Structures are given as C-alpha cells and as structure tokens.
C-alpha cells in the first residue's frame, strides 16, 4: 500500500523541508555567482560553456529542492521544467 501524499516524508517532514530550503539557497547563490561573472565580458567570452553549466546547475538545484519540499514529491515531478531531469526522475519514480 502506498502512503498518502501528505505522509510521504513521514516523521521527517521538517528535515526534508530544511534540505529543500538549503538546496534552494544554494541555487540562488550559484545563480548570483554566475550573474556576477557574466558582468565581465572577458570572462563571458572565455568561459561561456562554464557559465552555462553554472546556470544549469542552479536550475537543477532549484527543481530538486521543489520536489524534495513538496507534499507529494512524485506528483511534483510533473512540474519539473528541465526535460532531462524530469525524464530521469519519472523513470526512478
């Protein structure tokens, strides 16, 4: 029998919320770092691929945080905007 969505985290709901908040804060910090680096045209020219990777990492963290913090993480996968991450998580669910 599957647990109801509101009880998927069981007695550790506050722990999962704290993890989600931490991941989300990391996403914001990474995004800000990437934005700072993008202000320098020389860095942008030399490191465009790395800057795009920074942006992608930020997006992944944000999406994973939303799933971990959701009342129903399996249902939350449907809201994932990154196709490769969404497919990966759907296969795991």
């Amino acid at each position: 029998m599957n647990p109801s969505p509101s009880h998927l985290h069981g007695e550790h709901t506050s722990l999962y919320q704290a993890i989600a908040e931490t991941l989300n804060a990391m996403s914001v910090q990474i995004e800000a770092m990437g934005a700072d680096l993008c202000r320098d045209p020389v860095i942008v020219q030399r490191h465009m691929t790395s800057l795009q990777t920074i942006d992608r990492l930020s997006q992944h963290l944000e999406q994973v945080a939303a799933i971990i913090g959701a009342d129903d993480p399996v249902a939350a996968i449907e809201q994932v905007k990154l196709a490769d991450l969404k497919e990966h998580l759907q296969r795991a669910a």
Side-chain angles (χ1 to χ4, degrees):
M1 177 167 121
N2 290 333
S4 65
S6 62
H7 295 95
L8 288 176
H9 296 316
E11 63 189 65
H12 303 292
T13 300
S14 60
L15 172 62
Y16 284 98
Q17 287 298 318
I19 292 168
E21 291 168 5
T22 300
L23 291 174
N24 199 49
M26 291 170 63
S27 171
V28 169
Q29 290 173 334
I30 290 171
E31 184 176 357
M33 178 185 64
D36 285 345
L37 292 171
C38 285
R39 289 188 185 102
D40 185 332
V42 174
I43 289 176
V44 172
Q45 183 180 12
R46 290 184 181 167
H47 303 286
M48 179 56 79
T49 301
S50 295
L51 292 169
Q52 289 171 334
T53 299
I54 288 170
D55 182 57
R56 190 124 175 106
L57 287 169
S58 174
Q59 291 177 46
H60 270 79
L61 284 171
E62 179 184 28
Q63 296 291 293
V64 169
I67 292 166
I68 290 172
D71 287 338
D72 186 347
V74 175
I77 293 170
E78 291 303 316
Q79 303 304 313
V80 171
K81 298 170 186 149
L82 303 170
D84 59 334
L85 178 60
K86 185 176 189 174
E87 292 170 10
H88 174 71
L89 296 174
Q90 286 173 327
R91 285 191 303 270

